[in-house]
Amino acid sequence: MDGGQRAALVRLDQEVEAPGPAPASGGPGRFLERAAPEGLRFDYATGRTMASHEPKLVCRGVWKIFGAGGKSLIGTASRPTSADLRAAGAVGAVRDVNIEVREGEIFVIMGLSGSGKSTLVRCLSRLIEPTSGDILFNGENLLAASEARMIEIRRHQMGMVFQHFALLPHLTVLANVAFPLEIQGIERAAREERARRMIDLVGLAGKETAFPRELSGGQQQRVGIARSLAVEPELWFLDEPFSALDPLIRREMQDEFLRLQSVLKKTIVFITHDFDEAIRLADRIAIMKDGEIVQAGTPEDLVLNPATPYVAEFTRSVARAKVVKVASLMRPLNGVLPPASIRAAAPIAEAAPLFSAGNEALAVLDGAGKPVGLIDRAAVVDVMMRG
Amino acid sequence: MSASFPFLQPVSEPIPENPSIATARARWLWPAALAAFVLFWQFGDGLAKWAFSYPRAFEIPAARWIGKATKWLLDEASFGLFTFTDLTRFVAQIIDLPYRVALGLLSTGLLSGQGSSAVQQVPPLSWLAVLAIVALIGHHAGGVRLAALVTACFGFLVLFGQWTSAMVTLASIVVAVPIGVVVGLLLGLAAWRWPVFERVLVPVLDLMQTIPVFAYLVPVLVFFGFGPTSAIVATLIYALPPMARVTILAMRSVPSEIRDLGNMVGCSRRQMTWKIMVPSAKDSLMVGVNQVIMLSLNMVIIASMIGAGGLGFDVLAALRRLDIGAGLEAGLAIVALAVALDRLSQAYAEKAGKPAAGIPAGNGFVSRHPYLAAALAIIVVTFIAGLAVPALQSFPEAWQVSTGTFWSEVVRWININFFDALEAIRNVILLNLLVPLKRLLADLPWAGVVALLALAGYRLGGLRLALLVGVLAFLIAATGQWEKATVTVYLCGVSVVFACLIGVPLGILAAERDRLWRWLQLVIDTLQTLPSFVYLMPVVMLFRVGDFTAMIAVVAYAVVPAIRYTVLGLHRVDPRVVEAGRAMGCTPRQILTKIKLKLALPEILLGLNQTIMFALSMLVITALVGTRDLGQEVYIALTKADTGRGIVAGLSIAFIAIIADRLISAGANRIRERVS
Ligand SMILES: Nc1ncnc2c1ncn2[C@@H]1O[C@H](COP(=O)(O)OP(=O)(O)OP(=O)(O)O)[C@@H](O)[C@H]1O
Ligand SMILES: [Mg+2]
């Protein structure tokens, strides 16, 4: 177990020091095929980037220990394990978390129930006071900010969507969405105007005068999303926003979410306990267990190089072919260019049918259509066979 | 990786050193203690006289101290800028002004001049107007059915000639409830926001709810004088704690997500309270409002002892005259008022939970506020009609109905025909049970009882509980209340035993039979809304004053929680466990005794606890029928306005309640631990 933890830490450190592989080095691609229009996010093959590497939110050595004497427990040189903490009558809900959320990316925090996701995200927004650590938002240490400053930041720069929607039952949809603006003291006409636009944006036009309990779960969460967007936040937290919805609606809401993000390009911290959802949405994923980040990286990273058996367990059921990119199996060009070709950013699953015409290899093209390498039938089959 | 496979590790439970010694000691503890107690009781009299009757010389003169403190408060106490008397006067004025307005509207009309020479300038709202407005409110709150119900309730008041008194009572309720709600809400909010304040407030609330009302009637009387203002203050003290409690609870039960939302959108503290917390908790808060209304009505009779007037005074006067008809009618009038206000507030609570119907369009006053406009129209129309036809202003006596003589006849008939039988029952129980028990308890050495109680506390809840129980019991003895306290304990104990003997089997029966339970519920609910004095009257008529009468009244009142909690406990038993029992082949009887009752025991114990609390609160009232216990002591103090005496006796009752409560709760906890 300790070995696994250490491995995760090492990986994490690498992440922090060298953010992302250089585009030309032929490292793993990180574009995920999805409903969003192509090219809106960083695309390895083209080198175009929407997600800059500027860290928007940095979280360093954050601990949250519930129960008595939390602070004294982590003051010591050695890291207390969760068993140590339990023995001391405390719960280590978040333990020494280091993450970096870059501007414009969707950063997914994934973990089973009780792994500390909600606690972590509440530490990030300082809804709960971390026991120790630093949280830098745009370079400003949130933990040192005054209460007035926090109110200021939350009013204008942060938004949050809640698992159980957290709609105010006594207010209409319109008033709920306008609520954050009301708190800011914006006058009625202006705030309702903006709220109406948000309601349009999430596709709830016509429901303005309904009350939360008259809406379906999916509709309620749309209200929650509209409300969190009304203040036009730079940093958007979503705590298991779709977990309370049934699978069909969840899928629909995920598409909706990707559509919104393609327009809005927020920096997003997204919590989920569903690995499929994480894969579908994430630019990068951090996997949590017992309050620790076990591994953080791109979806492909997690699938191909799980740091611990725990991560491997998660990724086992995922069809590799849908996650692994052509680029990551590519070998250098050797002069001969096969007739068939495929984009570097495409998942392996897309390459498979092209071999059926008897090709032994495919040409790999970058975003501009220029050949950058080859991919062999054997390599593809190997990935496909592994599930 | 070994940590993830705990099942591979050898199971090694720590084995206690030598279990037989520990359990053996526990098994012998009680018999030994009891034997020692009995020996001491029988032969200790010569050895330690002080242990049997507390020596006068060492008595704590608490009553005198409190009396002096009261005098000091009244004459000298000052908070710098203002004196204590200024403070009470200020409070009195805050209450007095709205009360006079309400009274003017409902009862006296607009007066000019003072006292008895006052002349009515404008008449009060006529009975017709009040009836119509009440119907309107009912319609607004819950539609036609509710309107019909509340109109019927108020119609009862008109028809049975209770109108004038009822309006006086209503006026004080109308003033007390909003003040109680607002103050309770603010206290609760403060406690929620500042944990330090909560730590102070909660014990005070506990004490306020265990001290019998009579006890604080005395200081209120001393500070505010005889009259409706005093009555409202006492009502507030009684009705306010639940509101504060409900507020704290309601604030706690607002989902943490909603609170997070408030923080996330950047609410200031004030916005957090008034825009997030209070509106989100509106449903639960309305429960508190309902409680305040019901408790205010509970206080109506007691408050009339310090000058409330109205229906309460009528009941009290009837009780003194032993006029059962008049008392019953006034009592039922209170019930009618209670039912109407209860249903109205419940309907509003429900309405608060639902989204408001869209605000009707239109710009005129009438279309925007249809109910308000209708009410104003009613007032104007009935005012004019009242001037033209006096019968519409005040309901003519000739139209009124009275059942007073009927009830008196019924009682007389029963007395004539069944006197011997009733008397025989009374004598048998009195001579064979009550009197010997009373003697026995009075005979026990106080020191031994204190020691036994402390021992029980130690066994059930450790040193802290032992200390608490021991000290409280000792204080009862040390303030010279021991003898009267034994009478209270004996009356309470006998009544509780009877209440449980009746209530628990009834509860067991009802828990299995839905129809029976529905009927029983109706009966219990009615029993609970009846003002407790109403129980007294018929019993007094049949059995005259004395301990037996008190006991019957207490049993009738205290049987309710015994039934309720038994049913609740049995209903809460996990059906899967019952199913498992059936699968194992238990007979229904075994399921009941071996599974259900065992699992429901903690709840039933809680019911016992509540039964004791109910019994104690009723006991104080039975002081009116001539018991010789602490309740009587409080009552005498009240008539003499002797603050010290009243508070000491009241506190003694509270101590008994606290001792019983803590011991039983600790016992229930132990059982619960063992069961789960
Ligand atoms: N206020 C608290 N006091 C004590 N322990 C807490 C508190 N809040 C959370 N915990 C504990 O911290 C751990 C992490 O909880 P958290 O709510 O962050 O989990 P989660 O990953 O969000 O789970 P879920 O998917 O169920 O929402 C849990 O063991 C929980 O019991
Ligand atoms: Mg959570």
Side-chain angles (χ1 to χ4, degrees):
Chain A
M1 183 174 78
D2 273 331
Q5 274 173 7
R6 216 162 290 133
L9 280 175
V10 171
R11 299 185 61 84
L12 215 57
D13 290 343
Q14 284 168 350
E15 279 283 335
V16 173
E17 279 156 24
S25 71
R30 49 183 308 282
F31 190 84
L32 194 59
E33 195 65 15
R34 63 173 63 136
E38 202 168 326
L40 273 171
R41 244 179 255 118
F42 172 77
D43 183 337
Y44 154 69
T46 61
R48 272 200 296 143
T49 169
M50 295 307 296
S52 83
H53 285 198
E54 289 296 298
K56 187 90 186 166
L57 185 70
V58 179
C59 164
R60 272 197 304 236
V62 169
W63 287 79
K64 177 66 198 182
I65 294 179
F66 288 111
K71 200 127 202 161
S72 61
L73 286 170
I74 50 172
T76 51
S78 64
R79 279 159 47 90
T81 63
S82 49
D84 291 344
L85 292 173
R86 216 170 304 128
V91 179
V94 169
R95 299 193 292 136
D96 194 19
V97 165
N98 295 286
I99 50 174
E100 224 186 59
V101 182
R102 298 167 197 157
E103 179 146 16
E105 79 170 333
I106 301 182
F107 188 90
V108 171
I109 299 172
M110 223 289 307
L112 296 182
S113 190
S115 57
K117 309 175 300 284
S118 297
T119 309
L120 175 58
V121 83
R122 278 166 176 72
C123 285
L124 295 181
S125 52
R126 212 183 152 199
L127 286 176
I128 23 187
E129 208 66 35
T131 313
S132 77
D134 289 320
I135 289 163
L136 305 179
F137 174 56
N138 286 336
E140 177 183 358
N141 192 350
L142 288 188
L143 301 187
S146 66
E147 190 173 337
R149 175 69 190 139
M150 270 324 292
I151 286 184
E152 190 63 17
I153 290 176
R154 289 188 188 129
R155 281 189 178 179
H156 300 292
Q157 291 169 293
M158 288 180 176
M160 188 181 249
V161 180
F162 297 90
Q163 178 170 1
H164 301 288
F165 321 138
L167 300 182
L168 296 171
H170 60 289
L171 297 180
T172 60
V173 167
L174 185 65
N176 258 300
V177 175
F179 186 75
L181 305 170
E182 181 188 342
I183 289 300
Q184 293 176 19
I186 293 175
E187 64 164 288
R188 191 183 197 101
R191 67 175 189 244
E192 291 198 342
E193 204 271 325
R194 180 125 47 108
R196 270 179 221 284
R197 261 195 293 130
M198 292 303 142
I199 292 172
D200 276 350
L201 186 67
V202 297
L204 273 185
K207 290 276 182 198
E208 287 87 350
T209 55
F211 280 86
R213 69 184 68 188
E214 298 165 357
L215 301 179
S216 72
Q219 288 171 326
Q220 290 191 27
Q221 195 55 297
R222 282 169 199 264
V223 177
I225 290 175
R227 179 179 61 190
S228 67
L229 289 175
V231 297
E232 293 172 359
E234 294 168 31
L235 183 56
W236 198 16
F237 296 106
L238 297 100
D239 183 4
E240 304 203 28
F242 309 140
S243 296
L245 308 177
D246 55 54
L248 268 181
I249 309 283
R250 194 183 308 169
R251 185 102 189 157
E252 186 188 314
M253 293 293 289
Q254 287 166 1
D255 292 338
E256 182 81 17
F257 170 73
L258 287 171
R259 180 184 68 80
L260 278 176
Q261 170 65 352
S262 71
V263 181
L264 302 170
K265 304 178 194 85
K266 304 278 182 207
T267 306
I268 293 173
V269 176
F270 190 107
I271 311 280
T272 179
H273 62 240
D274 175 0
F275 195 63
D276 287 332
E277 186 168 81
I279 295 268
R280 227 164 111 65
L281 304 180
D283 289 315
R284 287 190 305 142
I285 301 178
I287 294 193
M288 270 190 106
K289 178 177 186 257
D290 291 342
E292 279 178 319
I293 304 269
V294 192
Q295 186 176 9
T298 60
E300 201 179 1
D301 234 1
L302 300 183
V303 172
L304 291 180
N305 309 309
T308 68
Y310 183 75
V311 178
E313 191 60 37
F314 269 118
T315 55
R316 180 170 303 158
S317 64
V318 176
R320 268 148 226 275
K322 286 195 182 147
V323 180
V324 178
K325 300 297 169 323
V326 169
S328 63
L329 296 180
M330 179 173 81
R331 65 180 168 82
L333 286 168
N334 58 3
V336 220
L337 214 56
S341 63
I342 181 136
R343 287 171 306 116
I348 295 294
E350 261 179 47
L354 300 176
F355 288 105
S356 60
N359 300 317
E360 273 309 309
L362 300 177
V364 179
L365 309 178
D366 68 5
K370 200 166 83 55
V372 288
L374 299 173
I375 182 167
D376 291 325
R377 178 193 187 103
V380 170
V381 168
D382 185 43
V383 170
M384 302 286 288
M385 292 304 284
R386 275 193 283 155
Chain B
M1 277 293 151
S2 64
S4 23
F5 301 106
F7 48 87
L8 288 183
Q9 287 166 359
V11 183
S12 68
E13 289 260 297
I15 297 165
E17 303 284 305
N18 193 343
S20 55
I21 290 181
T23 45
R25 207 188 294 144
R27 200 173 308 136
W28 285 109
L29 187 66
W30 274 113
L34 282 177
F37 178 77
V38 171
L39 279 178
F40 181 65
W41 169 35
Q42 293 300 327
F43 305 107
D45 206 1
L47 293 173
K49 198 138 191 64
W50 57 269
F52 286 79
S53 67
Y54 193 86
R56 288 234 140 196
F58 292 96
E59 232 167 62
I60 302 174
R64 196 144 33 89
W65 292 345
I66 294 173
K68 270 195 192 144
T70 317
K71 206 158 151 31
W72 174 79
L73 272 177
L74 277 179
D75 297 344
E76 290 166 45
S78 161
F79 304 97
L81 290 178
F82 55 92
T83 62
F84 183 79
T85 326
D86 289 340
L87 181 71
T88 55
R89 257 186 225 137
F90 175 69
V91 172
Q93 257 163 12
I94 288 182
I95 293 170
D96 212 33
L97 191 71
Y99 176 71
R100 250 184 284 157
V101 172
L103 196 68
L105 265 179
L106 292 171
S107 171
T108 57
L110 195 61
L111 301 178
S112 67
Q114 286 290 315
S116 52
S117 63
V119 184
Q120 199 178 58
Q121 298 290 327
V122 182
L125 290 178
S126 66
W127 62 271
L128 200 59
V130 175
L131 222 56
I133 289 172
V134 163
L136 208 60
I137 296 175
H139 189 266
H140 181 237
V144 180
R145 283 177 60 127
L146 185 64
L149 178 76
V150 293
T151 316
C153 286
F154 275 71
F156 174 88
L157 303 177
V158 178
L159 202 59
F160 281 79
Q162 305 291 331
W163 190 254
T164 341
S165 297
M167 287 306 110
V168 174
T169 299
L170 188 62
S172 66
I173 301 279
V174 161
V175 174
V177 169
I179 298 180
V181 167
V182 169
V183 177
L185 180 72
L186 292 180
L187 283 177
L189 285 177
W192 167 70
R193 185 135 146 214
W194 294 290
V196 181
F197 184 66
E198 188 189 351
R199 241 167 288 145
V200 179
L201 183 68
V202 169
V204 173
L205 294 182
D206 283 346
L207 202 64
M208 271 163 88
Q209 284 187 312
T210 36
I211 292 189
V213 192
F214 278 134
Y216 51 73
L217 285 190
V218 189
V220 168
L221 185 65
V222 172
F223 293 142
F224 292 93
F226 187 88
T229 313
S230 266
I232 292 179
V233 171
T235 306
L236 281 178
I237 297 177
Y238 180 66
L240 202 150
M243 186 67 203
R245 259 182 229 280
V246 166
T247 306
I248 299 177
L249 264 179
M251 292 297 118
R252 291 257 162 76
S253 57
V254 168
S256 67
E257 261 196 0
I258 295 269
R259 231 173 314 140
D260 285 344
L261 164 78
N263 281 323
M264 221 41 224
V265 300
C267 283
S268 64
R269 296 209 147 188
R270 174 172 303 191
Q271 286 174 324
M272 188 71 172
T273 306
W274 297 109
K275 293 211 163 209
I276 302 261
M277 300 304 287
V278 172
S280 307
K282 209 157 70 175
D283 292 12
S284 332
L285 291 178
M286 283 308 282
V287 175
V289 174
N290 181 262
Q291 287 265 306
V292 173
I293 293 178
M294 296 319 281
L295 289 184
S296 302
L297 279 161
N298 269 350
M299 268 295 277
V300 162
I301 298 176
I302 296 176
S304 68
M305 290 181 184
I306 53 172
L311 291 173
F313 180 77
D314 294 354
V315 175
L316 212 59
L319 192 65
R320 293 207 178 107
R321 293 197 310 268
L322 284 184
D323 176 352
I324 188 168
L328 205 62
E329 270 177 12
L332 286 179
I334 296 178
V335 176
L337 214 51
V339 170
L341 294 182
D342 178 45
R343 296 297 136 83
L344 278 180
S345 65
Q346 272 184 15
Y348 273 114
E350 231 163 79
K351 209 171 158 172
K354 289 205 201 90
I359 296 146
N363 296 324
F365 176 79
V366 175
S367 52
R368 260 185 303 147
H369 306 284
Y371 283 98
L372 201 55
L376 288 177
I378 288 170
I379 291 172
V380 173
V381 170
T382 52
F383 179 71
I384 295 168
L387 289 183
V389 188
L392 295 182
Q393 175 63 39
S394 47
F395 197 73
E397 243 171 73
W399 299 358
Q400 288 171 7
V401 184
S402 173
T403 56
T405 42
F406 168 74
W407 289 113
S408 305
E409 284 304 317
V410 169
V411 172
R412 175 133 32 112
W413 181 80
I414 293 180
N415 263 339
I416 289 170
N417 290 294
F418 296 98
F419 181 80
D420 292 337
L422 291 175
E423 196 67 7
I425 296 176
R426 177 184 128 115
N427 285 340
V428 166
I429 295 185
L430 207 56
L431 292 180
N432 293 313
L433 183 69
L434 298 188
V435 173
L437 195 66
K438 190 177 183 175
R439 292 238 175 87
L440 176 80
L441 274 182
D443 210 30
L444 295 179
W446 65 267
V449 175
V450 171
L452 274 189
L453 284 173
L455 183 66
Y458 179 71
R459 294 292 303 166
L460 290 173
L463 212 54
R464 277 180 64 129
L465 187 61
L467 212 63
L468 176 78
V469 168
V471 167
L472 291 186
F474 171 75
L475 280 178
I476 296 177
T479 48
Q481 307 291 320
W482 189 260
E483 210 173 308
K484 296 202 173 68
T486 57
V487 181
T488 299
V489 168
Y490 124 83
L491 263 179
C492 176
V494 173
S495 313
V496 167
V497 168
F498 273 110
C500 287
L501 283 182
I502 299 169
V504 172
L506 258 181
I508 293 175
L509 274 183
E512 309 268 308
R513 294 167 185 74
D514 273 349
R515 277 176 65 98
L516 176 64
W517 174 225
R518 236 173 291 136
W519 281 106
L520 205 57
Q521 234 171 343
L522 199 70
V523 175
I524 310 184
D525 283 345
T526 321
L527 280 182
Q528 262 190 334
T529 35
L530 280 181
S532 29
F533 283 81
V534 174
Y535 295 96
L536 268 184
M537 261 180 293
V539 190
V540 172
M541 305 293 300
L542 297 178
F543 297 106
R544 288 165 294 144
V545 296
D547 286 4
F548 183 73
T549 306
M551 188 195 83
I552 301 244
V554 174
V555 169
Y557 188 64
V559 76
V560 174
I563 300 177
R564 211 187 273 284
Y565 278 84
T566 306
V567 174
L568 198 75
L570 289 174
H571 278 174
R572 283 240 180 107
V573 172
D574 189 346
R576 280 171 301 179
V577 179
V578 176
E579 216 163 66
R582 204 168 293 138
M584 279 185 267
C586 292
T587 62
R589 185 187 191 82
Q590 283 173 321
I591 287 182
L592 182 67
T593 53
K594 297 238 145 93
I595 298 179
K596 284 188 168 177
L597 283 180
K598 278 231 167 81
L599 290 178
L601 198 56
E603 296 283 347
I604 296 178
L605 273 183
L606 220 65
L608 173 66
N609 202 349
Q610 283 294 305
T611 308
I612 294 178
M613 298 303 135
F614 270 56
L616 279 175
S617 72
M618 185 68 191
L619 256 183
V620 180
I621 290 165
T622 57
L624 290 179
V625 296
T627 54
R628 287 274 167 273
D629 67 338
L630 289 169
Q632 183 70 7
E633 183 77 1
V634 178
Y635 193 55
I636 292 172
L638 182 62
T639 52
K640 292 190 176 162
D642 183 343
T643 323
R645 198 169 165 187
I647 289 186
V648 168
L651 278 177
S652 296
I653 298 180
F655 289 171
I656 295 175
I658 294 173
I659 292 172
D661 174 64
R662 297 298 135 89
L663 286 181
I664 292 175
S665 311
N669 276 344
R670 284 204 120 196
I671 291 176
R672 199 170 294 143
E673 269 167 28
R674 211 178 312 152
V675 166
S676 59

